[in-house]
Amino acid sequence: MVLRVDHNKVPFKKLWETKGHQRDFNGRPHIGALQYSILLSNGDVMSSYHCYGDTTGDNCEFIKWDSKGNLLSMMLVLGGGHAGAFWYSEDTNLIYTQVRDANSGKYYLGTLDYLPNKKVDINSLDKWCQVSHYYRVSIDTTYKDYWIG
């Protein structure tokens, strides 16, 4: 069975989009293609992005954008993986994610303080537990439900 959708009749409203050809504090270009994004209470957006130019696939960036799509700041996470999912708490300024230890190769779930325009690694992670492999972390702090996918 094939479901065909008339996109002119679908009631989805575009909430936000990035502006093209912006550079972060490392000089890396950002033009969109976000992995995951969270709309913040003030209209800004926190997103994750596979680190541009990283051929290892092991590093990611968490990027904060304003409500008009302008890049405000970013944090590079060495060992942050592909950053396909995460959670950001506006109340605590914490990112809930996974980081791989470059020395041991082990994966850990935990939280990172969002540090604008900084580079962090496993040593910045408040570790909750070790896991066997890469997970896409999905967390909802509003309802106190924590899921790993």
Side-chain angles (χ1 to χ4, degrees), residues 118-137:
K118 300 289 182 190
K119 184 188 307 185
V120 301
D121 60 16
I122 190 72
N123 297 313
S124 300
L125 185 74
D126 182 13
K127 297 176 188 170
W128 289 3
C129 64
Q130 182 182 335
V131 292
S132 60
H133 60 278
Y134 174 78
Y135 283 96
R136 291 186 184 265
V137 178

Side-chain angles (χ1 to χ4, degrees), residues 92-121:
T92 61
N93 197 42
L94 290 176
I95 293 175
Y96 294 72
T97 191
Q98 174 179 286
V99 177
R100 187 179 72 81
D101 186 324
N103 295 319
S104 69
K106 294 177 181 176
Y107 294 90
Y108 294 91
L109 299 178
T111 56
L112 294 165
D113 288 310
Y114 180 69
L115 303 172
N117 303 326
K118 300 289 182 190
K119 184 188 307 185
V120 301
D121 60 16

Side-chain angles (χ1 to χ4, degrees), residues 59-111:
N59 303 315
C60 76
E61 298 173 340
F62 292 102
I63 307 168
K64 194 176 270 189
W65 309 84
D66 71 15
S67 61
K68 294 183 169 78
N70 297 303
L71 192 149
L72 295 172
S73 63
M74 60 79 69
M75 181 173 78
L76 175 62
V77 182
L78 301 176
H82 208 259
F86 71 99
W87 187 253
Y88 174 70
S89 170
E90 293 180 76
D91 296 333
T92 61
N93 197 42
L94 290 176
I95 293 175
Y96 294 72
T97 191
Q98 174 179 286
V99 177
R100 187 179 72 81
D101 186 324
N103 295 319
S104 69
K106 294 177 181 176
Y107 294 90
Y108 294 91
L109 299 178
T111 56

